[in-house]
Short mmCIF file of all heavy atoms in Angstrom, two decimals:
data_model
loop_
_atom_site.label_atom_id
_atom_site.label_comp_id
_atom_site.label_asym_id
_atom_site.label_seq_id
_atom_site.Cartn_x
_atom_site.Cartn_y
_atom_site.Cartn_z
N TYR C 1 96.73 99.85 88.36
CA TYR C 1 96.04 99.65 89.63
C TYR C 1 95.83 98.16 89.87
O TYR C 1 95.41 97.44 88.98
CB TYR C 1 94.70 100.39 89.63
CG TYR C 1 93.86 100.08 90.84
CD1 TYR C 1 94.16 100.69 92.04
CD2 TYR C 1 92.81 99.20 90.77
CE1 TYR C 1 93.40 100.41 93.17
CE2 TYR C 1 92.05 98.93 91.89
CZ TYR C 1 92.34 99.54 93.08
OH TYR C 1 91.60 99.27 94.19
N ASN C 2 96.10 97.71 91.09
CA ASN C 2 95.90 96.32 91.45
C ASN C 2 95.28 96.27 92.84
O ASN C 2 95.93 96.59 93.82
CB ASN C 2 97.23 95.56 91.42
CG ASN C 2 97.03 94.08 91.66
OD1 ASN C 2 96.43 93.68 92.64
ND2 ASN C 2 97.54 93.30 90.75
N SER C 3 94.02 95.89 92.90
CA SER C 3 93.31 95.89 94.19
C SER C 3 93.91 94.89 95.17
O SER C 3 93.89 95.14 96.38
CB SER C 3 91.83 95.62 93.98
OG SER C 3 91.63 94.33 93.44
N GLU C 4 94.44 93.77 94.69
CA GLU C 4 95.04 92.80 95.61
C GLU C 4 96.30 93.37 96.26
O GLU C 4 96.53 93.16 97.44
CB GLU C 4 95.34 91.48 94.90
CG GLU C 4 94.08 90.69 94.60
CD GLU C 4 94.37 89.36 93.96
OE1 GLU C 4 95.40 89.22 93.28
OE2 GLU C 4 93.54 88.45 94.14
N LEU C 5 97.11 94.08 95.49
CA LEU C 5 98.30 94.71 96.08
C LEU C 5 97.90 95.80 97.08
O LEU C 5 98.50 95.91 98.14
CB LEU C 5 99.21 95.30 95.00
CG LEU C 5 99.97 94.31 94.12
CD1 LEU C 5 100.84 95.05 93.13
CD2 LEU C 5 100.79 93.35 94.95
N ASP C 6 96.89 96.58 96.72
CA ASP C 6 96.41 97.61 97.65
C ASP C 6 95.92 96.98 98.95
O ASP C 6 96.18 97.49 100.03
CB ASP C 6 95.28 98.42 97.02
CG ASP C 6 95.77 99.43 96.01
OD1 ASP C 6 96.97 99.76 96.02
OD2 ASP C 6 94.95 99.90 95.21
N THR C 7 95.20 95.87 98.83
CA THR C 7 94.68 95.18 100.00
C THR C 7 95.82 94.63 100.84
O THR C 7 95.82 94.77 102.07
CB THR C 7 93.73 94.04 99.58
OG1 THR C 7 92.65 94.60 98.84
CG2 THR C 7 93.19 93.30 100.79
N PHE C 8 96.81 94.04 100.20
CA PHE C 8 97.99 93.53 100.91
C PHE C 8 98.66 94.65 101.70
O PHE C 8 98.97 94.50 102.88
CB PHE C 8 98.96 92.89 99.92
CG PHE C 8 100.31 92.58 100.53
CD1 PHE C 8 100.48 91.50 101.36
CD2 PHE C 8 101.40 93.40 100.26
CE1 PHE C 8 101.72 91.23 101.94
CE2 PHE C 8 102.64 93.13 100.82
CZ PHE C 8 102.79 92.05 101.67
N LEU C 9 98.88 95.78 101.06
CA LEU C 9 99.53 96.92 101.72
C LEU C 9 98.68 97.45 102.87
O LEU C 9 99.21 97.84 103.91
CB LEU C 9 99.84 98.02 100.71
CG LEU C 9 100.91 97.69 99.68
CD1 LEU C 9 100.98 98.78 98.61
CD2 LEU C 9 102.27 97.50 100.34
N ALA C 10 97.37 97.48 102.69
CA ALA C 10 96.47 97.95 103.75
C ALA C 10 96.53 97.04 104.97
O ALA C 10 96.59 97.52 106.10
CB ALA C 10 95.04 98.04 103.22
N VAL C 11 96.53 95.74 104.75
CA VAL C 11 96.60 94.79 105.87
C VAL C 11 97.95 94.91 106.57
O VAL C 11 98.03 94.93 107.80
CB VAL C 11 96.35 93.35 105.39
CG1 VAL C 11 96.63 92.34 106.51
CG2 VAL C 11 94.92 93.19 104.89
N ALA C 12 99.01 95.02 105.80
CA ALA C 12 100.34 95.17 106.39
C ALA C 12 100.42 96.45 107.24
O ALA C 12 100.97 96.44 108.34
CB ALA C 12 101.41 95.19 105.31
N ALA C 13 99.85 97.53 106.76
CA ALA C 13 99.87 98.80 107.49
C ALA C 13 99.01 98.74 108.75
O ALA C 13 99.40 99.25 109.80
CB ALA C 13 99.41 99.94 106.59
N ALA C 14 97.84 98.11 108.64
CA ALA C 14 96.90 98.06 109.77
C ALA C 14 97.28 96.99 110.79
O ALA C 14 96.92 97.10 111.96
CB ALA C 14 95.49 97.82 109.26
N GLY C 15 97.96 95.95 110.33
CA GLY C 15 98.32 94.86 111.23
C GLY C 15 97.17 93.94 111.56
O GLY C 15 97.24 93.15 112.50
N SER C 16 96.09 94.04 110.78
CA SER C 16 94.90 93.23 111.04
C SER C 16 94.02 93.25 109.79
O SER C 16 93.88 94.29 109.15
CB SER C 16 94.14 93.82 112.23
OG SER C 16 92.80 93.44 112.24
N PHE C 17 93.41 92.11 109.49
CA PHE C 17 92.50 92.05 108.35
C PHE C 17 91.27 92.93 108.60
O PHE C 17 90.86 93.70 107.75
CB PHE C 17 92.06 90.61 108.08
CG PHE C 17 93.17 89.72 107.62
CD1 PHE C 17 93.62 88.68 108.41
CD2 PHE C 17 93.76 89.89 106.38
CE1 PHE C 17 94.64 87.84 107.99
CE2 PHE C 17 94.79 89.07 105.94
CZ PHE C 17 95.22 88.04 106.76
N SER C 18 90.70 92.83 109.80
CA SER C 18 89.48 93.59 110.08
C SER C 18 89.75 95.09 110.17
O SER C 18 88.94 95.90 109.70
CB SER C 18 88.81 93.09 111.36
OG SER C 18 89.69 93.19 112.46
N LYS C 19 90.89 95.48 110.75
CA LYS C 19 91.22 96.91 110.81
C LYS C 19 91.46 97.47 109.41
O LYS C 19 91.06 98.59 109.11
CB LYS C 19 92.46 97.14 111.66
CG LYS C 19 92.21 97.02 113.14
CD LYS C 19 93.49 97.28 113.91
CE LYS C 19 93.31 97.03 115.39
NZ LYS C 19 94.57 97.18 116.13
N ALA C 20 92.10 96.70 108.55
CA ALA C 20 92.33 97.15 107.18
C ALA C 20 91.01 97.35 106.46
O ALA C 20 90.82 98.35 105.76
CB ALA C 20 93.20 96.16 106.42
N ALA C 21 90.10 96.42 106.62
CA ALA C 21 88.79 96.54 105.97
C ALA C 21 88.06 97.79 106.44
O ALA C 21 87.49 98.53 105.64
CB ALA C 21 87.95 95.30 106.25
N LYS C 22 88.12 98.05 107.74
CA LYS C 22 87.44 99.22 108.30
C LYS C 22 88.15 100.52 107.93
O LYS C 22 87.53 101.46 107.46
CB LYS C 22 87.36 99.08 109.82
CG LYS C 22 86.64 100.22 110.49
CD LYS C 22 86.59 100.02 111.99
CE LYS C 22 85.95 101.22 112.66
NZ LYS C 22 85.98 101.13 114.11
N ASN C 23 89.47 100.58 108.14
CA ASN C 23 90.22 101.81 107.93
C ASN C 23 90.33 102.22 106.47
O ASN C 23 90.41 103.41 106.16
CB ASN C 23 91.64 101.68 108.49
CG ASN C 23 91.66 101.55 110.00
OD1 ASN C 23 90.67 101.81 110.67
ND2 ASN C 23 92.78 101.11 110.53
N TYR C 24 90.37 101.25 105.57
CA TYR C 24 90.60 101.54 104.16
C TYR C 24 89.36 101.29 103.30
O TYR C 24 89.44 101.33 102.08
CB TYR C 24 91.79 100.73 103.64
CG TYR C 24 93.08 101.10 104.33
CD1 TYR C 24 93.53 100.40 105.44
CD2 TYR C 24 93.84 102.19 103.90
CE1 TYR C 24 94.70 100.74 106.09
CE2 TYR C 24 95.01 102.54 104.55
CZ TYR C 24 95.44 101.81 105.64
OH TYR C 24 96.60 102.16 106.27
N ASN C 25 88.22 101.05 103.96
CA ASN C 25 86.96 100.81 103.24
C ASN C 25 87.11 99.75 102.15
O ASN C 25 86.71 99.95 101.01
CB ASN C 25 86.41 102.11 102.64
CG ASN C 25 86.03 103.11 103.71
OD1 ASN C 25 85.46 102.74 104.73
ND2 ASN C 25 86.38 104.36 103.49
N ILE C 26 87.71 98.65 102.53
CA ILE C 26 87.89 97.54 101.60
C ILE C 26 86.71 96.60 101.79
O ILE C 26 86.54 96.02 102.86
CB ILE C 26 89.22 96.80 101.87
CG1 ILE C 26 90.38 97.78 101.71
CG2 ILE C 26 89.37 95.62 100.96
CD1 ILE C 26 91.70 97.23 102.22
N TYR C 27 85.92 96.46 100.76
CA TYR C 27 84.70 95.68 100.90
C TYR C 27 84.88 94.22 100.49
O TYR C 27 84.07 93.40 100.83
CB TYR C 27 83.58 96.33 100.09
CG TYR C 27 83.29 97.71 100.62
CD1 TYR C 27 83.69 98.84 99.92
CD2 TYR C 27 82.67 97.89 101.84
CE1 TYR C 27 83.46 100.12 100.42
CE2 TYR C 27 82.43 99.16 102.35
CZ TYR C 27 82.82 100.26 101.63
OH TYR C 27 82.59 101.50 102.12
N THR C 28 85.91 93.92 99.77
CA THR C 28 86.18 92.51 99.48
C THR C 28 86.88 91.91 100.68
O THR C 28 87.38 92.62 101.53
CB THR C 28 87.08 92.36 98.23
OG1 THR C 28 88.31 93.04 98.48
CG2 THR C 28 86.42 92.90 96.99
N SER C 29 86.93 90.64 100.75
CA SER C 29 87.56 89.98 101.88
C SER C 29 89.07 90.18 101.84
O SER C 29 89.75 89.73 100.92
CB SER C 29 87.24 88.49 101.86
OG SER C 29 88.02 87.82 102.83
N CYS C 30 89.59 90.86 102.84
CA CYS C 30 91.03 91.09 102.93
C CYS C 30 91.77 89.77 103.05
O CYS C 30 92.81 89.58 102.43
CB CYS C 30 91.36 91.94 104.16
SG CYS C 30 90.80 93.62 104.08
N ARG C 31 91.23 88.88 103.84
CA ARG C 31 91.89 87.60 104.05
C ARG C 31 91.95 86.81 102.75
O ARG C 31 92.99 86.27 102.40
CB ARG C 31 91.15 86.80 105.13
CG ARG C 31 91.86 85.51 105.48
CD ARG C 31 91.20 84.80 106.63
NE ARG C 31 91.27 85.63 107.82
CZ ARG C 31 90.28 85.75 108.71
NH1 ARG C 31 89.16 85.11 108.54
NH2 ARG C 31 90.42 86.51 109.76
N SER C 32 90.86 86.79 101.99
CA SER C 32 90.84 86.05 100.73
C SER C 32 91.82 86.64 99.71
O SER C 32 92.51 85.90 99.02
CB SER C 32 89.44 86.06 100.13
OG SER C 32 88.56 85.34 100.94
N ALA C 33 91.86 87.95 99.62
CA ALA C 33 92.77 88.59 98.67
C ALA C 33 94.22 88.25 99.00
O ALA C 33 95.01 87.93 98.11
CB ALA C 33 92.57 90.11 98.68
N ASN C 34 94.57 88.31 100.27
CA ASN C 34 95.95 88.02 100.66
C ASN C 34 96.28 86.54 100.56
O ASN C 34 97.39 86.18 100.21
CB ASN C 34 96.22 88.56 102.07
CG ASN C 34 96.41 90.05 102.04
OD1 ASN C 34 97.40 90.54 101.52
ND2 ASN C 34 95.45 90.79 102.55
N GLU C 35 95.31 85.68 100.83
CA GLU C 35 95.54 84.25 100.67
C GLU C 35 95.74 83.90 99.20
O GLU C 35 96.58 83.06 98.88
CB GLU C 35 94.38 83.45 101.25
CG GLU C 35 94.39 83.42 102.77
CD GLU C 35 93.19 82.72 103.37
OE1 GLU C 35 92.30 82.27 102.62
OE2 GLU C 35 93.15 82.61 104.60
N SER C 36 95.01 84.56 98.31
CA SER C 36 95.17 84.26 96.88
C SER C 36 96.54 84.70 96.37
O SER C 36 97.15 84.01 95.55
CB SER C 36 94.06 84.90 96.04
OG SER C 36 94.16 86.30 96.02
N ILE C 37 97.07 85.81 96.88
CA ILE C 37 98.42 86.23 96.50
C ILE C 37 99.43 85.20 97.00
O ILE C 37 100.31 84.77 96.27
CB ILE C 37 98.76 87.63 97.08
CG1 ILE C 37 97.90 88.70 96.43
CG2 ILE C 37 100.24 87.95 96.85
CD1 ILE C 37 98.03 90.06 97.09
N GLY C 38 99.30 84.82 98.25
CA GLY C 38 100.21 83.84 98.83
C GLY C 38 100.17 82.51 98.10
O GLY C 38 101.22 81.90 97.83
N LYS C 39 98.97 82.06 97.74
CA LYS C 39 98.85 80.80 97.00
C LYS C 39 99.47 80.92 95.62
O LYS C 39 100.14 80.00 95.15
CB LYS C 39 97.39 80.38 96.90
CG LYS C 39 96.85 79.81 98.18
CD LYS C 39 95.40 79.38 98.02
CE LYS C 39 94.85 78.89 99.35
NZ LYS C 39 93.44 78.51 99.23
N ALA C 40 99.25 82.04 94.95
CA ALA C 40 99.81 82.23 93.60
C ALA C 40 101.34 82.21 93.64
O ALA C 40 101.98 81.71 92.71
CB ALA C 40 99.30 83.55 93.01
N LEU C 41 101.91 82.75 94.72
CA LEU C 41 103.36 82.80 94.85
C LEU C 41 103.92 81.59 95.58
O LEU C 41 105.13 81.42 95.68
CB LEU C 41 103.77 84.07 95.61
CG LEU C 41 103.41 85.39 94.94
CD1 LEU C 41 103.70 86.55 95.87
CD2 LEU C 41 104.15 85.55 93.63
N ASN C 42 103.02 80.77 96.13
CA ASN C 42 103.40 79.59 96.91
C ASN C 42 104.24 79.96 98.13
O ASN C 42 105.25 79.33 98.43
CB ASN C 42 104.11 78.55 96.04
CG ASN C 42 104.09 77.18 96.66
OD1 ASN C 42 103.16 76.84 97.39
ND2 ASN C 42 105.11 76.39 96.40
N VAL C 43 103.81 81.04 98.82
CA VAL C 43 104.49 81.50 100.03
C VAL C 43 103.46 81.95 101.06
O VAL C 43 102.31 82.21 100.74
CB VAL C 43 105.45 82.69 99.75
CG1 VAL C 43 106.59 82.28 98.85
CG2 VAL C 43 104.71 83.88 99.19
N GLN C 44 103.89 82.08 102.29
CA GLN C 44 103.06 82.65 103.34
C GLN C 44 103.52 84.08 103.56
O GLN C 44 104.70 84.33 103.83
CB GLN C 44 103.19 81.85 104.64
CG GLN C 44 102.31 82.36 105.75
CD GLN C 44 102.43 81.54 107.02
OE1 GLN C 44 103.16 80.57 107.09
NE2 GLN C 44 101.71 81.95 108.04
N LEU C 45 102.60 85.04 103.44
CA LEU C 45 102.95 86.45 103.57
C LEU C 45 102.76 87.00 104.98
O LEU C 45 103.47 87.91 105.39
CB LEU C 45 102.14 87.28 102.58
CG LEU C 45 102.36 86.93 101.10
CD1 LEU C 45 101.37 87.68 100.24
CD2 LEU C 45 103.78 87.24 100.70
N PHE C 46 101.79 86.46 105.70
CA PHE C 46 101.48 86.93 107.04
C PHE C 46 101.50 85.79 108.05
O PHE C 46 101.20 84.66 107.71
CB PHE C 46 100.08 87.57 107.10
CG PHE C 46 99.96 88.86 106.35
CD1 PHE C 46 99.36 88.90 105.11
CD2 PHE C 46 100.44 90.04 106.89
CE1 PHE C 46 99.24 90.08 104.41
CE2 PHE C 46 100.33 91.23 106.20
CZ PHE C 46 99.72 91.26 104.95
N VAL C 47 101.83 86.14 109.27
CA VAL C 47 101.71 85.23 110.40
C VAL C 47 100.63 85.81 111.30
O VAL C 47 100.69 86.99 111.67
CB VAL C 47 103.04 85.12 111.19
CG1 VAL C 47 102.87 84.27 112.43
CG2 VAL C 47 104.14 84.59 110.31
N ARG C 48 99.65 85.01 111.63
CA ARG C 48 98.57 85.46 112.52
C ARG C 48 98.97 85.20 113.95
O ARG C 48 99.59 84.19 114.27
CB ARG C 48 97.28 84.72 112.19
CG ARG C 48 96.78 85.06 110.79
CD ARG C 48 95.48 84.41 110.55
NE ARG C 48 94.51 85.07 111.43
CZ ARG C 48 93.21 84.93 111.32
NH1 ARG C 48 92.70 84.16 110.41
NH2 ARG C 48 92.40 85.56 112.14
N ASN C 49 98.61 86.15 114.83
CA ASN C 49 98.82 85.97 116.25
C ASN C 49 97.65 86.58 117.00
O ASN C 49 96.70 87.05 116.37
CB ASN C 49 100.17 86.58 116.69
CG ASN C 49 100.27 88.05 116.36
OD1 ASN C 49 99.37 88.82 116.68
ND2 ASN C 49 101.35 88.47 115.72
N THR C 50 97.70 86.60 118.30
CA THR C 50 96.56 87.11 119.08
C THR C 50 96.34 88.61 118.92
O THR C 50 95.28 89.11 119.25
CB THR C 50 96.76 86.79 120.58
OG1 THR C 50 97.99 87.36 121.02
CG2 THR C 50 96.76 85.30 120.82
N HIS C 51 97.32 89.31 118.39
CA HIS C 51 97.22 90.77 118.22
C HIS C 51 96.90 91.19 116.79
O HIS C 51 96.77 92.37 116.51
CB HIS C 51 98.52 91.45 118.67
CG HIS C 51 98.87 91.15 120.08
ND1 HIS C 51 98.17 91.64 121.16
CD2 HIS C 51 99.84 90.37 120.61
CE1 HIS C 51 98.70 91.19 122.28
NE2 HIS C 51 99.72 90.41 121.97
N GLY C 52 96.82 90.24 115.87
CA GLY C 52 96.56 90.56 114.47
C GLY C 52 97.47 89.77 113.57
O GLY C 52 97.60 88.56 113.73
N VAL C 53 98.11 90.45 112.65
CA VAL C 53 99.01 89.78 111.71
C VAL C 53 100.31 90.57 111.59
O VAL C 53 100.34 91.78 111.79
CB VAL C 53 98.39 89.62 110.30
CG1 VAL C 53 97.18 88.70 110.34
CG2 VAL C 53 98.03 90.94 109.68
N THR C 54 101.38 89.86 111.28
CA THR C 54 102.66 90.48 110.97
C THR C 54 103.19 89.84 109.69
O THR C 54 102.81 88.72 109.34
CB THR C 54 103.70 90.28 112.10
OG1 THR C 54 103.86 88.88 112.34
CG2 THR C 54 103.27 90.97 113.37
N LEU C 55 104.04 90.56 109.01
CA LEU C 55 104.66 90.02 107.80
C LEU C 55 105.62 88.90 108.17
O LEU C 55 106.30 88.97 109.19
CB LEU C 55 105.43 91.12 107.07
CG LEU C 55 104.59 92.23 106.46
CD1 LEU C 55 105.48 93.37 106.01
CD2 LEU C 55 103.77 91.71 105.30
N THR C 56 105.68 87.88 107.32
CA THR C 56 106.68 86.84 107.53
C THR C 56 108.05 87.44 107.26
O THR C 56 108.19 88.35 106.43
CB THR C 56 106.45 85.62 106.62
OG1 THR C 56 106.46 86.04 105.26
CG2 THR C 56 105.15 84.92 106.95
N PRO C 57 109.08 86.97 107.96
CA PRO C 57 110.41 87.57 107.83
C PRO C 57 110.98 87.52 106.41
O PRO C 57 111.68 88.44 106.00
CB PRO C 57 111.28 86.75 108.78
CG PRO C 57 110.33 86.14 109.74
CD PRO C 57 109.05 85.94 108.99
N ALA C 58 110.70 86.49 105.67
CA ALA C 58 111.29 86.39 104.33
C ALA C 58 110.32 86.88 103.27
O ALA C 58 110.47 87.98 102.73
CB ALA C 58 111.73 84.95 104.05
N ALA C 59 109.32 86.11 102.97
CA ALA C 59 108.41 86.41 101.85
C ALA C 59 107.61 87.69 102.08
O ALA C 59 107.46 88.50 101.17
CB ALA C 59 107.48 85.23 101.60
N GLY C 60 107.08 87.86 103.28
CA GLY C 60 106.26 89.04 103.55
C GLY C 60 107.03 90.34 103.41
O GLY C 60 106.57 91.29 102.79
N ILE C 61 108.22 90.38 104.00
CA ILE C 61 109.06 91.58 103.91
C ILE C 61 109.47 91.86 102.46
O ILE C 61 109.39 92.99 101.99
CB ILE C 61 110.32 91.43 104.80
CG1 ILE C 61 109.92 91.25 106.26
CG2 ILE C 61 111.28 92.59 104.60
CD1 ILE C 61 109.33 92.47 106.93
N GLU C 62 109.87 90.83 101.76
CA GLU C 62 110.27 91.01 100.37
C GLU C 62 109.10 91.45 99.50
O GLU C 62 109.23 92.35 98.67
CB GLU C 62 110.86 89.71 99.83
CG GLU C 62 111.44 89.85 98.43
CD GLU C 62 112.15 88.60 97.95
OE1 GLU C 62 112.67 87.84 98.79
OE2 GLU C 62 112.18 88.39 96.73
N PHE C 63 107.94 90.84 99.72
CA PHE C 63 106.79 91.17 98.89
C PHE C 63 106.28 92.58 99.15
O PHE C 63 105.84 93.26 98.23
CB PHE C 63 105.67 90.15 99.09
CG PHE C 63 104.58 90.26 98.07
CD1 PHE C 63 104.79 89.83 96.77
CD2 PHE C 63 103.36 90.81 98.39
CE1 PHE C 63 103.80 89.96 95.81
CE2 PHE C 63 102.36 90.93 97.44
CZ PHE C 63 102.58 90.50 96.15
N ILE C 64 106.36 93.05 100.39
CA ILE C 64 105.89 94.42 100.65
C ILE C 64 106.81 95.44 99.97
O ILE C 64 106.34 96.45 99.44
CB ILE C 64 105.72 94.72 102.15
CG1 ILE C 64 104.83 95.96 102.32
CG2 ILE C 64 107.05 94.93 102.85
CD1 ILE C 64 104.33 96.19 103.71
N GLN C 65 108.10 95.17 99.95
CA GLN C 65 109.02 96.07 99.26
C GLN C 65 108.70 96.11 97.76
O GLN C 65 108.65 97.18 97.16
CB GLN C 65 110.46 95.65 99.51
CG GLN C 65 110.88 95.84 100.94
CD GLN C 65 112.19 95.17 101.29
OE1 GLN C 65 112.70 94.34 100.57
NE2 GLN C 65 112.75 95.55 102.43
N TRP C 66 108.49 94.95 97.18
CA TRP C 66 108.16 94.86 95.75
C TRP C 66 106.82 95.55 95.47
O TRP C 66 106.69 96.30 94.51
CB TRP C 66 108.11 93.39 95.34
CG TRP C 66 107.75 93.18 93.92
CD1 TRP C 66 108.58 93.25 92.84
CD2 TRP C 66 106.45 92.88 93.40
NE1 TRP C 66 107.88 93.00 91.69
CE2 TRP C 66 106.56 92.77 92.01
CE3 TRP C 66 105.20 92.69 94.00
CZ2 TRP C 66 105.48 92.49 91.19
CZ3 TRP C 66 104.12 92.40 93.18
CH2 TRP C 66 104.28 92.31 91.80
N SER C 67 105.83 95.32 96.34
CA SER C 67 104.50 95.91 96.16
C SER C 67 104.55 97.44 96.19
O SER C 67 103.91 98.11 95.40
CB SER C 67 103.54 95.42 97.24
OG SER C 67 103.36 94.05 97.16
N ARG C 68 105.32 97.97 97.12
CA ARG C 68 105.45 99.43 97.22
C ARG C 68 106.10 100.01 95.96
O ARG C 68 105.70 101.09 95.50
CB ARG C 68 106.27 99.80 98.45
CG ARG C 68 105.50 99.62 99.73
CD ARG C 68 106.33 99.91 100.94
NE ARG C 68 105.55 99.83 102.17
CZ ARG C 68 106.07 99.52 103.34
NH1 ARG C 68 107.35 99.31 103.47
NH2 ARG C 68 105.28 99.45 104.39
N GLN C 69 107.07 99.31 95.40
CA GLN C 69 107.69 99.79 94.16
C GLN C 69 106.67 99.80 93.03
O GLN C 69 106.62 100.76 92.25
CB GLN C 69 108.87 98.88 93.76
CG GLN C 69 110.08 99.08 94.61
CD GLN C 69 111.21 98.15 94.20
OE1 GLN C 69 110.97 97.05 93.69
NE2 GLN C 69 112.44 98.57 94.41
N ILE C 70 105.88 98.76 92.93
CA ILE C 70 104.87 98.67 91.87
C ILE C 70 103.83 99.77 92.01
O ILE C 70 103.48 100.46 91.05
CB ILE C 70 104.17 97.29 91.89
CG1 ILE C 70 105.17 96.18 91.57
CG2 ILE C 70 102.98 97.25 90.93
CD1 ILE C 70 105.80 96.26 90.21
N ILE C 71 103.31 99.96 93.23
CA ILE C 71 102.22 100.92 93.46
C ILE C 71 102.71 102.36 93.42
O ILE C 71 102.06 103.23 92.83
CB ILE C 71 101.53 100.63 94.82
CG1 ILE C 71 100.88 99.25 94.82
CG2 ILE C 71 100.51 101.71 95.15
CD1 ILE C 71 99.71 99.06 93.89
N PHE C 72 103.84 102.65 94.04
CA PHE C 72 104.24 104.04 94.24
C PHE C 72 105.28 104.59 93.25
O PHE C 72 105.53 105.78 93.23
CB PHE C 72 104.74 104.24 95.67
CG PHE C 72 103.70 103.91 96.70
CD1 PHE C 72 103.88 102.87 97.59
CD2 PHE C 72 102.51 104.63 96.76
CE1 PHE C 72 102.90 102.57 98.54
CE2 PHE C 72 101.52 104.33 97.70
CZ PHE C 72 101.74 103.29 98.58
N ASP C 73 105.91 103.74 92.47
CA ASP C 73 106.91 104.24 91.52
C ASP C 73 106.32 104.44 90.14
O ASP C 73 105.33 104.04 89.76
CB ASP C 73 108.10 103.29 91.42
CG ASP C 73 109.00 103.37 92.66
OD1 ASP C 73 108.80 104.30 93.47
OD2 ASP C 73 109.86 102.51 92.80
#
């Protein structure tokens, strides 16, 4: 179990840090958890826009595929 990976997947699914926190009852800061993953990997995982967040085309897409394999396999 990895709470940071779960948080990353929740934000990616919800398309918003605040929606992920509400929908998935995540009490730690979604933004902080995802920023710490990005910093550890030295990549940007999400792009923020006026509608929420989307995965970056390279690192975000690749990391979500890897995360799903870790969590669900």
Side-chain angles (χ1 to χ4, degrees):
Y1 173 78
N2 186 306
S3 63
E4 287 183 333
L5 289 181
D6 284 342
T7 300
F8 169 76
L9 292 172
V11 172
S16 158
F17 293 113
S18 58
K19 285 180 186 176
K22 182 180 176 185
N23 294 345
Y24 296 94
N25 296 319
I26 300 169
Y27 298 106
T28 59
S29 171
C30 292
R31 185 174 297 140
S32 294
N34 284 291
E35 286 176 358
S36 69
I37 293 171
K39 284 181 183 178
L41 298 172
N42 200 30
V43 296
Q44 182 179 0
L45 299 172
F46 292 102
V47 175
R48 295 184 69 167
N49 59 50
T50 57
H51 302 289
V53 295
T54 57
L55 293 169
T56 57
I61 299 290
E62 186 174 332
F63 192 73
I64 198 167
Q65 292 168 345
W66 179 83
S67 297
R68 286 177 176 153
Q69 286 179 330
I70 296 298
I71 297 293
F72 300 116
D73 286 349

